Amino acid sequence: MRDVIDLPSLEGRGRGWIGSLENESVPPTPTHPQPLPSREGSVRTDWTRAEIADLFALPFDELMFRAQTVHRAHHTPSQVQLCTLLSIKTGGCPEDCGYCNQSASAETELKASKLMDVRAVLQSAAQARDAGSQRFCMGAAWRNPKDKDMPAIVEMVKGVRQMGMETCMTLGMLTPGQAAQLADAGLDYYNHNIDTSPEKYGEVITTRTFQDRLDTLENVREAGINVCCGGIVGMGETRGDRVGFVHALATLPRHPESVPVNALVPVKGTVLGDMLADTPLAQIDDIEFVRTVAVARITMPLSMVRLSAGRESMSEATQALCFMAGANSIFTGDRLLTTGNRGDSADAALFAKLGVVAMQGEEPARAAKASAGGCTAC
């Protein structure tokens, strides 16, 4: 167990950070690990925290083997879905998310912009489609969309769908009526991340609650839209927090069809970026990140597990391990909203080395939902 690291106080920065960090090493495990429950690989929503903690604690090769076994039972090996993310409204967000440079409270040089013109968005979508993307994701830095913005948002969704691409949006919190409008427009996915464990959430964000997140997810589900929901690791959390994060997702009434796993990109001027910049031990190491991906794969077998933010700084070996652990979706291009990404040429080179190809066809969770009349936990 490493020593507790004292982090600077956040007093005056609008957040109640605990003020210390426990960065846990991998605990010792038995020479012959106990087998998982016999339902491994089936779609369960009754995972316990103890079961998930046991998965994290497995010897690395055993965890990877089990993740690969589950992955191959439900997904086509060596296929990775290509997605593109565009910021359609940047900066000026009233939320105080400690990781985000689009927060109005962040002391960065990012300038707020208005909602993009529909035609400009559709032009970007066409370029993404021509580059091989299957899904086009659009993000706006809002606490929640205003009703006056909904007509333009609806036109964006309809236009991208007419190009034959899947659509995804992340606009903040949604009312039931707004979710219904997006569903009527044909939106395929709505992204609304829980970010971290319920216990740590209040240390990262104070302007909305964990339950607010769950309420929007419920509104999205009720409208019939597929859910994209994941979070961020490397924010100074403990392994216990990562267990809680996965547990919160894996015990939802229905698993998210898409689960993005982000590694924190520490941006200067953000609360967490400034806090963790000089605390390297606070950042998650590569093997622990891969473990998180593997546990997400095992506990949510049908979901697309997306390797998201932070990939720019990952080595090719780390990314390859993530794919082996069950990650099968990435964002392409050289930008993710306001931070860098690896770029199409780097991805193409890595795919060629690994023998990975772009995914084609329907996603398992959506196909299962359709065949089960909307239930992926039956």
Side-chain angles (χ1 to χ4, degrees), residues 180-213:
Q181 288 183 67
L182 293 173
D184 290 342
L187 184 67
D188 296 291
Y189 282 86
Y190 193 80
N191 167 258
H192 199 61
N193 291 336
I194 60 170
D195 290 335
T196 187
S197 69
E199 294 80 12
K200 189 170 181 63
Y201 186 88
E203 300 174 17
V204 178
I205 303 164
T206 68
T207 49
R208 58 179 161 184
T209 66
F210 195 84
Q211 187 59 50
D212 288 333
R213 300 277 188 174

Side-chain angles (χ1 to χ4, degrees), residues 6 18 45 60 170 189 220 225 229 246 369:
D6 291 327
I18 287 177
T45 59
F60 189 70
T170 177
Y189 282 86
V220 169
I225 302 171
C229 184
V246 174
K369 184 174 72 171

Side-chain angles (χ1 to χ4, degrees), residues 104-128:
S105 61
E107 299 175 0
T108 68
E109 297 180 356
L110 184 70
K111 295 182 179 180
S113 66
K114 296 181 179 180
L115 183 65
M116 285 179 63
D117 179 75
V118 174
R119 290 171 296 180
V121 172
L122 297 184
Q123 183 179 17
S124 295
Q127 293 171 347

Side-chain angles (χ1 to χ4, degrees), residues 5-344:
I5 303 170
D6 291 327
L7 294 178
S9 172
L10 271 178
E11 184 176 357
R13 296 298 299 273
R15 196 171 323 282
W17 186 269
I18 287 177
S20 64
L21 168 72
E22 179 187 4
N23 188 284
E24 298 173 319
S25 60
V26 177
T29 53
T31 304
H32 302 288
Q34 295 298 311
L36 290 176
S38 60
R39 289 179 290 168
E40 177 186 0
S42 63
V43 180
R44 297 176 49 192
T45 59
D46 61 348
W47 289 93
T48 67
R49 288 200 178 202
E51 287 177 310
I52 294 172
D54 286 345
L55 288 173
F56 266 100
L58 284 171
F60 189 70
D61 60 341
E62 177 69 16
L63 176 61
M64 293 290 282
F65 173 76
R66 297 188 187 194
Q68 260 292 300
T69 300
V70 172
H71 184 71
R72 288 172 176 268
H74 300 283
H75 303 265
T76 304
S78 302
Q79 285 195 7
V80 173
Q81 182 188 56
L82 304 183
C83 309
T84 298
L85 176 61
L86 175 69
S87 178
I88 61 174
K89 190 276 175 188
T90 304
C93 180
E95 303 284 12
D96 70 347
C97 306
Y99 51 79
C100 186
N101 65 340
Q102 298 200 67
S103 170
S105 61
E107 299 175 0
T108 68
E109 297 180 356
L110 184 70
K111 295 182 179 180
S113 66
K114 296 181 179 180
L115 183 65
M116 285 179 63
D117 179 75
V118 174
R119 290 171 296 180
V121 172
L122 297 184
Q123 183 179 17
S124 295
Q127 293 171 347
R129 177 199 59 195
D130 294 343
S133 282
Q134 186 182 49
R135 184 187 301 176
F136 192 69
C137 306
M138 296 160 274
W142 285 325
R143 175 178 171 83
N144 50 275
K146 295 180 174 62
D147 288 340
K148 68 180 180 64
D149 295 313
M150 292 304 295
I153 294 295
V154 165
E155 288 305 309
M156 292 175 191
V157 173
K158 290 181 177 178
V160 175
R161 279 188 58 96
Q162 288 173 358
M163 297 178 191
M165 300 178 73
E166 292 181 353
T167 53
C168 180
M169 282 204 160
T170 177
L171 312 171
M173 295 184 289
L174 291 182
T175 65
Q178 290 171 333
Q181 288 183 67
L182 293 173
D184 290 342
L187 184 67
D188 296 291
Y189 282 86
Y190 193 80
N191 167 258
H192 199 61
N193 291 336
I194 60 170
D195 290 335
T196 187
S197 69
E199 294 80 12
K200 189 170 181 63
Y201 186 88
E203 300 174 17
V204 178
I205 303 164
T206 68
T207 49
R208 58 179 161 184
T209 66
F210 195 84
Q211 187 59 50
D212 288 333
R213 300 277 188 174
L214 299 181
D215 290 344
T216 286
L217 294 180
E218 183 177 356
N219 292 338
V220 169
R221 280 290 188 211
E222 287 295 319
I225 302 171
N226 295 296
V227 168
C228 174
C229 184
I232 307 169
V233 295
M235 296 193 293
E237 77 280 349
T238 65
R239 176 177 281 185
D241 289 315
R242 291 186 282 278
V243 169
F245 159 62
V246 174
H247 178 262
L249 293 173
T251 56
L252 288 171
R254 192 157 79 218
H255 294 162
E257 282 80 8
S258 181
V259 178
V261 181
N262 300 273
L264 178 70
V265 179
V267 179
K268 184 178 180 180
T270 63
V271 174
L272 289 176
D274 290 345
M275 177 178 293
L276 301 180
D278 299 321
T279 314
L281 290 179
Q283 299 175 23
I284 188 170
D285 68 41
D286 290 344
I287 296 299
E288 186 71 7
F289 184 86
V290 176
R291 284 182 178 274
T292 306
V293 171
V295 173
R297 167 53 65 219
I298 292 171
T299 55
M300 293 171 280
L302 297 181
S303 302
M304 302 297 294
V305 176
R306 182 178 299 125
L307 189 56
S308 299
R311 198 163 60 86
E312 181 186 31
S313 60
M314 292 181 190
S315 69
E316 290 187 338
T318 297
Q319 292 182 76
L321 285 173
C322 286
F323 294 140
M324 291 178 65
N328 60 343
S329 180
I330 62 169
F331 282 121
T332 62
D334 57 5
R335 297 291 291 174
L336 291 180
L337 295 179
T338 61
T339 57
N341 195 34
R342 285 182 58 85
D344 295 338

